[in-house]
Structures are given as structure tokens and as C-alpha cells.
Amino acid sequence: MKLFPTGTITGMWLVLKRLFRSYPNDIQENMKAGSLFKATSPQVASERASVNQKGLITVEYPEVKLKPPENFRFIPFLIYEPVLDAAGKPIVDAATGKEEIGVERCTACGICAKVCPPQCIWIVRAVGDDGKPKPKAAEFYIDIDVCMNCGMCAEFCPFDAIKMDNDYELAGYERHVNHIYDLPTLMKSTTYYESIKPTDYAAEEAARKAKEEAKAKKPAPAAKQATAAASAAKAATPTMQEPPATE
Amino acid sequence: MAVLSPDQVQPAEYSKAFDAESVGALLKQGVPGAVTSASSAGIVVDSAKITDVLEWLKNSPDLAYDYFNSVTAVDWADKFEVVYHVASTVRGGPPLAIKANLNDKENPVISSASSVYYGALQQEREVYDFFGIKFAGHPNLRRIFMWEGFEGYPLRKSYKEAYYEQERKPFETRWDQGHHIIIEDRVPWHDNVIYPKNFDATQFKQIREIVRVAPIIEQGDSKALKTQPIVVSVGPQHPSTHGVFRMNVTLDGETVMALEPIFGYLHRNHEKIGERNTFYMNIPFTDRLDYLSGMAMETGYVLAVEKMLGIKPPERVEYIRVIMNEFTRIVSHMFGGIGQVYSDLGAFFTPIVIYGLEERELVLDLFESASGSRMMCNYMRFGGVWKDLPEGWLEVAHELAFNRLPRVADEMETYLVKNEIFDIRAKHVGVLPPDLAVSYGVSGPMLRGSGVKYDVRRADPYSIYDRFDFNIPVGTNGDIYDRMWCRIQEIRESIKILQQAIKTIPGGEIQAGKKAYSFKVPKGDVYAHIEAPRGEFGWYVVSDNNTTPYRYHVRAGDFVNLATMEQMCVGHKIGDMVGVLGSVDIIMGSVDR
Ligand code: SF4
Ligand code: SF4
């Protein structure tokens, strides 16, 4: 062994550099928020957690929360279209604070229950007065303790009726009742869906509109064109042919 | 034992690949009467001659099948089929499948391959545990994942697990009369355990004897004061065992005299679940194997099924897969393979772990924005990926690959190469000679640290790895230091691949054909392997023309690597043992499966 541990000291120097890079930077950012002892503002927080950040990249959860990316997936929910008032705004039920349920998209086709890898979706199909099955779920359960958040149900639902949520704070004191989500718990409006996944929502609505228009005009050939246009739009994918110059 | 220099063990040419038919023809001359049939699916041999066959394959100078990938079995209605996969580190090329049929279903016996390959020692125990197939001549044939008093052989088709509902998913109770019940209420015998018929708990004795199965290399300084040996059980709940893993260590003072790894604390029979699942459902389950490199696990599995279905993913998908895999390798090495080892060597949560974690955060953010989840990505699909990369993704990846990660790799190397303390702790500790490493089927940075230039990405290229320019770093001594050094260099090589891939990624489709959630896979079997951060991970999938795999086997690289623990630790101090275990870099999710 060498008598003088130059390597070890070099390592320590690196740590010291990091320290200087991190803390003044931290203080600066907090000052931006107004006070040294205030939690980081959401804007500063998202800058902080980016690749260009040289100092600390963490934020103080739960005071500060980073917005999850749009693709983020956690526990599915079912979508309904709310009842709209004259001005086209959803009517909010005063008692529950939820938007009133207009159209439930789920038709109880059972595809999500069939694709679900841990088999945690349970569906009872509604039956009409005539004893024939109706395209509607009478009961719909997701056991969120079993759900592995894989997103396959949302991937394969043909009616855009089940989507993955962005809400990840689900801790509870009890699991046998609270963690079995039933139909009322699962139902969330399109307004909410739009707020968490705007891009997906816009694309789905556009596709639906195109389909309906095509259906209204000429049946077969136009529909083909519309889907062709949609897939062409999809094919225009972001690529990187010319990367920015770097040294 | 002399340690070969890298040049001596470096393969000259990888081009000389033999297909199963030509090997079969050679084998017919080499071991007369052994071959029953040889086709592209593998060579079927007489079960009585299995060791002769393997011996011949290993020693044949042309073929040089020196590397033991895996052994597993398939429970057919009328027979057990034992399947071996062997490869050559000298020659490269795809592994060769050797199959032997055991027609006696009551008492299946075959002779052990452990006299030819040490790698068989641990994996044969796994086959015995799951199928009840006895390997004659195996020195230590005991259950490995299940406990000694366990009743039944879980992977036999006749075995029904505790939560059994139906042969295959989807279960009929879910739709259209899916009245929910709590899963625990389904357990027929209510406490998840069945005991053998004449089981008497008061008489049960755990087997504790130390069985030494392979030559022990004396290393380190064992001249210390002689004391009485004691057996210490390290783990399963111990911060340095990387999860629930236990080692029975016989100590003389502080010196390790013998060591036996004990598995199974995180065992969940991934393979049985996989056989109940449809092919599609298995993708998210593979994330739970090596959970620090979920993207790599998915890639391996979808490659296997794509081979069976005969589909080829579009160009863009191949690039995305390479990018994801290399990012995975970088962060897995930074956090698991390098950061954690420092931790184990006493630098507990010092900068190197934290700095590695920082970069890992950024890469996981990328994974999250593309796939929706940080670790359990569920991103790969048969013939495609789930969704195209979101806008701005490649720009961030570019910044990481061109600026940020190279900088951090430099920093890490400063700690590693120049640090005197690390030098003392890591050099000449836990030495694994190359010949032993190959015989044990060790893979990944551990194998390369021992000086064997074998990387699946080069030896049997999958996806589009043959298009990229990268080197395979190799060590010389095979000690902790060399393994770590290899990992650092691998990070650099991965950055190189990333830079090439990000620059040239084309646009286009992200799915070949139409996606379906349930489909039949044609009859046949396939073994697909990849170079994951923790070594070679292989998927052996058998289909009998159904929607679920008939057999689904995972060859976990770190499980196989762990078999060498005793060889590396004997003679060292117990503190070094912790460092050696760290340098193996295990994830219990894939070790125990
Ligand atoms: S797949 Fe969609 S429509 Fe069908 S049952 Fe599930 S949520 Fe309802
Ligand atoms: S996210 Fe996956 S596990 Fe959860 S309900 Fe949907 S399909 Fe099932």
C-alpha cells in the first residue's frame, strides 16, 4: 500500500465538490420559492428532477409532489360520460361532489377480465327484464391488492371503458373491504380522464369522431380511409435523425 | 491454479457454428448407439448414455461444448423429458439442446451430469425438487427451493398448488358471474401447507451436514489462530444478503471453512404460474424476476415466443429494445453491481451508491414516461412494444447518453481504480479461475471478470446487437476488483451502444402484425437467451399448440452464479465473504423465482 492515500483523497474531493454543487443550489432554489424554509414550488421541483440538474435531484415528498408522466399507470378505473347541462358543462352532484353519470362505457364484454394476468377483475353482467344479458356491468370488482398495475385491461378494452389511473396514494388501514374496488368506486368521468391523460384522450376522441362521421356518410370505404388516415398520423413518430451537436 | 491471461482464453472466431443435425451426425460416430434422433429441435439421446454424450461433447476439440447453460425437465403424459442446453465459450454460436426421455414415470432416474459440468450440481437439484427426477451419482441431491419436508413435486402436471382454480387462465369464475371472493378464502386446506403422509413434526430433523461437492481452492490467509469451528447462519434477514438469502457458513475463528447457500425464501414458483398463464400474461410476470432490470427480462421472454411464432419486430422496435436494454444495464450496474458492492465492503451508503442512484432515478423516469412504470415496465410485446416513445423522450435520452452518463462513469472510475482502500479490500479476494467459472456455467461480468471473453450479445447475437460496435471487457484475476472493473467498462460500452442507437433510430411502426391477447402458439420448444446485467438469462418455452405454455422455464444467471460462492470464499475472512456475495450481484427475485 502506498503511504499517502492520494486516491482516497481524490475521492473525497469529488464528494466535497458534489456538496458544493448541491447545497448552494438547494438554497438558491428555495429562495426562488420565497423563503429558505419553504417547500420547493412545483415548477422548481420539476426542473430539479431533470437531466440538466447538477445538484440534488430529489424533492421533499409529500410537501412537494412531482406530476407523474402521462403514461403512468396505477390501478384501473372505469369511464363514464357525464350528463351535460345546456352550456355543455358536466353537472356535478352536490351531495357526492361527483359528476352525474350519463353513459357508462363498459359493456361487460369481459375482455379485460380475460386478459388480466393475476385475474383480479370480477364482472357480473347485467340481465334485462326479459332475462337476456344486457351490455352493461351489474357488478364490477377489482381487487387492488392482487392487481399488478400491468395496464393490459386498458390496452385491450375495445370500448375505451377502462383506463389506468395516475393516483398512487392508496394506503389504507384495512384491506378486505377498502381494497376491493366496486363499481361506484371505479367509476370516474371523462373530465377526470382528460385531466390526467390529455394526449390519449384527444387521440381517442378524434378517432371516435372520425369513425362516427365515416359511419354517417358512406359505410365501408370511407371508414377504411378514416382508419388509414389515423394510422398514418400515428406513423409520424418522433425520431432523431440529427442529434444536437455535442463536444 | 494458474489463471489464464485474457489472450489465452479469448475466442479466435465465433463464426464456426454447428447445427444440431451435424452435431448429431458427429455424435453418432463419437458415442455409438447414443443418438436416437437429431433434428433442429435438438438431439434426442439414450438416457443411459447421457454422461458419455456430454463428456464427448465437452471434450471434442472441434465442438468444444464447454459451457453448461441449463438442465430442466418436461412432464409429458407418458414420460419425463430431461433437457440439457450446452454451449461453447470457445466457439460461440447458439446453445445445443440435448434431450433424454425417461419412460418410467414412477421412478425416474438418470445419471448426473455433475461429473462433466459443475454447473449441473445446482440445477439438477432444482429439477429433482420440482419433478422428483433422481440424478444418480449426484453428491448432494436434496431439495433446493422447497423445504425437506415438502410433499409433492410442484412442476409435475399432476400437482395442484394452493390457490389452484383451473388448468389455465382465464378462469371461468371471473366473467360473466364474477361475484368477488377474497383469494385467501380459496385455499382448500386453509393454511397453505400439506404435510407428507407420515409426517411427524417432533421427529423432523433438518439436514445440516455440509456436503462439499467441488474442489476447494485454498486462498487467503488461513494461518490464523486455530479455534473450534462453528456454523453461523448468515441471513435470511440480513442487510448484506441482498434480500432473503441465507448462507450456512462454517467458521474457524473469522475464517470461512465451508459455505452452503440456502435458497427458497422468495420462491413463488414463477414457472408454475407461467404455465397457467397465457403467453401474453407472462410478460408482466417476467418483470418480477430480476426487478432491477425488468426491461431485459421482458426482452428475453418475448424473444423466445417470437421465435416460436416466427415473427420479426419492426426496425424501430429493435432499436427501442436495444436502447432500453442498455439503459437497464447501466443503471443496474451502477446501483447493484457497483454501488452495492461498495456498501458491502463497508462504505455503507457513501456517495458511490447515492450517485449511482441519482442516475438511476433519471433513467427510471425515462422508463416511466415511455412504459408507465419505473421498474415493472411491461413494455415489450410479441413483435413490438406497448407504445411508441413519447415526445421529447429521445432528447432526454440523448442528453443522458452523450453528456451525463459518461461523466458519472468517469466519477465512478475515480473511486474504483485509484482508491487504496478499495484496492486492499477487493484485489485477490474471491478469486474464481476461468476454467471453474466456465464449468459452473457462470455468466455475465463474473465470467468476464475471470478472463473469459464470452458475451451472449457477441457469441449468439440476438435482436440487432450484431450491428453495433462495442468491446467485451475482460478481467485477468477473477477477483472482486476485476468484476467491478468489468462492470465499469461495460457501462462505458453500453453508453457507446446507446449513442449509436439513439443517433440512428429509424421511425416507423412499433408493432408487427395485429396484437392479440389470446392465441395459440405452434407445437415446439425454444430456448432464447440474452445477456442481462446479471449474466445469461434463458427462457425455455414449450408449447403443445395451446394458449398457455406447456412448460416455461427460466434459467436465471445469478442463481447459477451463486453456486460458486463456496469456491470463492473458503479461506477468506467473513467480512470478505460479504464483499464476495456483493460482487456476485444477486437479485433474489430471479434467484429464487
Ligand atoms: S373490456 Fe372494457 S367494455 Fe369489456 S368488460 Fe372490460 S371494461 Fe367493460
Ligand atoms: S392493471 Fe393488469 S392486473 Fe390490474 S386489473 Fe388491469 S389487467 Fe388486471
Side-chain angles (χ1 to χ4, degrees):
Chain A
M1 191 195 164
K2 278 183 287 181
L3 271 181
F4 193 68
T6 35
T8 311
I9 290 167
T10 321
M12 285 175 169
W13 171 238
L14 251 175
V15 179
L16 201 66
K17 265 206 314 215
R18 279 269 198 160
L19 179 89
F20 281 124
R21 227 192 281 149
S22 288
Y23 286 95
N25 169 288
D26 191 33
I27 293 166
Q28 237 176 29
E29 275 168 1
N30 275 350
M31 289 309 278
K32 264 194 248 169
S35 148
L36 202 54
F37 306 104
K38 247 194 195 157
T40 330
S41 73
Q43 289 94 328
V44 177
S46 65
E47 272 169 44
R48 200 172 183 170
S50 77
V51 274
N52 301 317
Q53 174 69 350
K54 293 240 165 76
L56 285 177
I57 63 162
T58 46
V59 296
E60 300 90 1
Y61 179 85
E63 283 85 12
V64 189
K65 285 176 194 169
L66 290 171
K67 198 172 181 310
E70 229 191 292
N71 277 341
F72 182 67
R73 52 184 158 78
F74 210 76
I75 311 292
F77 64 94
L78 292 170
I79 291 190
Y80 66 87
E81 279 153 29
V83 186
L84 303 180
D85 61 10
K89 279 230 176 100
I91 301 173
V92 180
D93 188 56
T96 56
K98 269 187 146 187
E99 290 169 9
E100 265 180 45
I101 297 179
V103 183
E104 285 177 21
R105 282 193 186 166
C106 175
T107 61
C109 69
I111 288 178
C112 54
K114 283 173 201 154
V115 292
C116 177
Q119 295 283 293
C120 66
I121 302 182
W122 304 68
I123 305 170
V124 179
R125 189 161 56 181
V127 179
D129 298 333
D130 52 357
K132 278 192 189 150
K134 281 203 301 187
K136 187 181 178 320
E139 287 171 47
F140 199 114
Y141 299 103
I142 294 179
D143 191 331
I144 67 159
D145 284 335
V146 180
C147 174
M148 64 202 291
N149 307 317
C150 67
M152 304 257 239
C153 44
E155 191 178 338
F156 284 103
C157 173
F159 302 98
D160 290 328
I162 189 165
K163 292 289 168 194
M164 299 305 285
D165 209 338
N166 275 18
D167 180 13
Y168 49 86
E169 291 169 316
L170 302 174
Y173 289 106
E174 192 278 337
R175 67 191 180 96
H176 283 130
V177 179
N178 292 341
H179 284 186
I180 318 296
Y181 281 16
D182 57 2
L183 203 49
T185 324
L186 286 168
M187 280 287 175
K188 289 185 181 174
S189 76
T190 43
T191 325
Y192 173 73
Y193 177 48
E194 191 184 359
S195 74
I196 57 167
K197 316 216 165 182
T199 326
D200 283 359
Y201 180 74
E204 282 160 19
E205 288 308 299
R208 200 189 314 281
K209 235 186 189 165
K211 220 177 176 180
E212 267 162 26
E213 269 169 23
K215 227 185 198 171
K217 278 183 206 153
K218 272 174 275 162
K224 252 183 207 161
Q225 263 175 23
T227 44
S231 63
K234 246 189 186 171
T237 45
T239 56
M240 182 174 281
Q241 304 296 7
E242 286 162 43
T246 40
E247 75 279 3
Chain B
M1 200 173 294
V3 175
L4 305 178
S5 78
D7 307 333
Q8 283 173 286
V9 280
Q10 209 161 309
E13 265 290 289
Y14 272 151
S15 58
K16 218 173 161 206
F18 288 85
D19 56 358
E21 280 109 341
S22 51
V23 177
L26 289 171
L27 195 56
K28 267 183 194 149
Q29 295 162 8
V31 190
V35 181
T36 319
S37 72
S39 70
S40 57
I43 303 174
V44 182
V45 299
D46 182 2
S47 62
K49 295 218 163 108
I50 187 71
T51 34
D52 299 340
V53 168
L54 292 174
E55 183 98 51
W56 187 83
L57 285 171
K58 185 184 177 189
N59 295 331
S60 148
D62 279 343
L63 298 169
Y65 280 107
D66 56 350
Y67 189 79
F68 190 76
N69 293 66
S70 81
V71 53
T72 187
V74 187
D75 177 13
W76 295 103
D78 54 341
K79 64 184 182 195
F80 283 107
E81 186 182 46
V82 184
V83 185
Y84 301 81
H85 282 93
V86 288
S88 171
T89 56
V90 187
R91 211 161 39 74
L96 174 75
I98 309 279
K99 298 170 181 172
N101 293 324
L102 305 177
N103 294 322
D104 182 4
K105 281 209 85 166
E106 289 302 306
N107 185 27
V109 185
I110 188 166
S111 63
S112 169
S114 57
S115 56
V116 189
Y117 302 102
Y118 289 140
L121 283 166
Q122 195 160 290
Q123 297 193 47
E124 281 179 350
R125 278 180 69 189
E126 186 186 328
V127 179
Y128 166 71
D129 194 357
F130 290 157
F131 288 93
I133 295 172
K134 294 193 186 67
F135 291 88
H138 190 293
N140 185 23
L141 197 65
R142 298 189 278 142
R143 285 187 179 271
I144 185 162
F145 290 122
M146 302 296 160
W147 64 300
E148 288 301 325
F150 187 82
E151 168 79 349
Y153 299 105
L155 280 179
R156 286 192 180 179
K157 289 286 166 190
S158 55
Y159 182 86
K160 306 279 183 267
E161 66 276 24
Y163 295 94
Y164 174 80
E165 286 193 57
Q166 233 173 282
E167 268 315 304
R168 48 176 63 96
K169 290 177 186 172
F171 298 145
E172 271 148 23
T173 50
R174 301 299 196 269
W175 181 84
D176 51 355
Q177 290 302 314
H179 299 281
H180 180 269
I181 46 168
I182 303 275
I183 292 292
E184 285 98 308
D185 296 344
R186 295 198 82 88
V187 187
W189 46 88
H190 280 281
D191 59 0
N192 214 350
V193 182
I194 7 174
Y195 294 100
K197 268 192 203 82
N198 303 320
F199 183 80
D200 178 2
T202 55
Q203 296 299 311
F204 179 73
K205 238 188 178 167
Q206 207 182 337
I207 301 175
R208 269 273 168 72
E209 62 187 299
I210 305 277
V211 190
R212 197 167 271 170
V213 283
I216 300 293
I217 313 136
E218 280 295 329
Q219 49 184 240
D221 152 45
S222 50
K223 290 192 294 285
L225 188 68
K226 282 275 174 279
T227 47
Q228 204 177 10
I230 56 163
V231 177
V232 179
S233 175
V234 184
Q237 306 289 354
H238 192 276
S240 76
T241 56
H242 296 244
V244 276
F245 172 61
R246 185 157 76 95
M247 291 172 285
N248 266 348
V249 192
T250 312
L251 293 175
D252 185 1
E254 266 194 86
T255 311
V256 177
M257 306 302 290
L259 185 151
E260 189 193 22
I262 296 174
F263 306 91
Y265 292 93
L266 201 60
H267 178 66
R268 53 224 187 269
N269 218 341
H270 182 82
E271 297 179 8
K272 190 83 174 179
I273 299 173
E275 287 163 22
R276 300 254 184 262
N277 280 350
T278 63
F279 283 91
Y280 209 89
M281 287 175 185
N282 270 337
I283 303 173
F285 276 93
T286 56
D287 286 325
R288 276 86 178 161
L289 285 169
D290 176 353
Y291 41 76
L292 284 191
S293 43
M295 287 281 193
M297 301 294 104
E298 289 164 24
T299 311
Y301 174 62
V302 298
L303 281 177
V305 179
E306 274 169 10
K307 256 195 205 172
M308 299 183 93
L309 290 169
I311 38 177
K312 211 184 131 33
E315 274 294 280
R316 186 174 171 83
V317 171
E318 299 275 26
Y319 274 87
I320 293 178
R321 282 189 187 165
V322 168
I323 293 174
M324 294 299 188
N325 268 283
E326 294 313 313
F327 266 135
T328 302
R329 192 181 322 278
I330 292 171
V331 291
S332 170
H333 279 352
M334 275 189 178
F335 175 52
I338 298 170
Q340 287 297 337
V341 187
Y342 275 85
S343 222
D344 287 342
L345 288 174
F348 185 63
F349 275 79
T350 40
I352 192 109
V353 193
I354 306 293
Y355 296 173
L357 269 176
E358 241 173 47
E359 305 318 305
R360 181 165 175 266
E361 278 314 294
L362 295 169
V363 172
L364 292 191
D365 280 351
L366 275 184
F367 286 176
E368 190 179 29
S369 66
S371 74
S373 188
R374 294 151 59 80
M375 287 161 82
M376 308 297 151
C377 300
N378 189 20
Y379 188 57
M380 307 298 168
R381 295 291 181 265
F382 304 133
V385 292
W386 172 55
K387 233 181 189 180
D388 204 348
L389 303 173
E391 219 157 300
W393 197 95
L394 280 167
E395 280 72 19
V396 179
H398 186 276
E399 173 63 26
L400 268 173
F402 282 84
N403 295 325
R404 195 168 171 124
L405 291 176
R407 195 172 65 222
V408 179
D410 284 345
E411 263 183 17
M412 286 207 156
E413 194 159 348
T414 315
Y415 289 112
L416 180 82
V417 184
K418 301 204 189 112
N419 194 309
E420 290 84 3
I421 304 173
F422 182 69
D423 257 26
I424 302 170
R425 288 301 308 274
K427 276 196 175 153
H428 309 294
V429 174
V431 176
L432 186 67
D435 48 352
L436 259 186
V438 171
S439 178
Y440 265 105
V442 166
S443 54
M446 266 193 84
L447 180 64
R448 293 188 285 275
S450 292
V452 183
K453 200 169 184 176
Y454 181 76
D455 185 314
V456 181
R457 290 174 295 174
R458 272 272 183 270
D460 182 18
Y462 54 94
S463 191
I464 49 165
Y465 274 107
D466 45 357
R467 296 188 202 166
F468 297 106
D469 167 35
F470 65 98
N471 299 327
I472 305 169
V474 282
T476 41
N477 295 326
D479 50 14
I480 299 181
Y481 186 92
D482 277 7
R483 275 167 225 147
M484 305 274 278
W485 185 84
C486 276
R487 288 195 181 109
I488 289 262
Q489 300 311 319
E490 260 173 45
I491 289 177
R492 291 186 186 286
E493 297 305 320
S494 288
I495 292 172
K496 240 163 82 185
I497 300 176
L498 271 179
Q499 292 178 344
Q500 296 166 48
I502 290 174
K503 257 191 198 161
T504 53
I505 180 168
E509 285 292 312
I510 49 133
Q511 178 70 46
K514 219 178 150 337
K515 241 197 269 189
Y517 60 86
S518 185
F519 46 83
K520 284 190 175 165
V521 170
K523 209 170 153 78
D525 64 332
V526 72
Y527 179 81
H529 58 170
I530 60 157
E531 185 67 37
R534 283 171 187 75
E536 177 187 323
F537 275 66
W539 275 260
Y540 179 65
V541 184
V542 182
S543 173
D544 61 343
N545 194 21
N546 218 321
T547 52
T548 56
Y550 187 80
R551 177 86 179 94
Y552 168 84
H553 172 67
V554 183
R555 182 248 200 232
D558 44 3
F559 168 65
V560 179
N561 290 358
L562 261 182
T564 55
M565 265 310 277
E566 185 165 33
Q567 271 65 40
M568 293 189 290
C569 289
V570 168
H572 285 306
K573 296 275 187 286
I574 192 158
D576 291 331
M577 179 197 79
V578 174
V580 173
L581 178 67
S583 76
V584 180
D585 190 13
I586 55 169
I587 290 291
M588 291 322 283
S590 56
V591 170
D592 279 350
R593 278 160 293 146

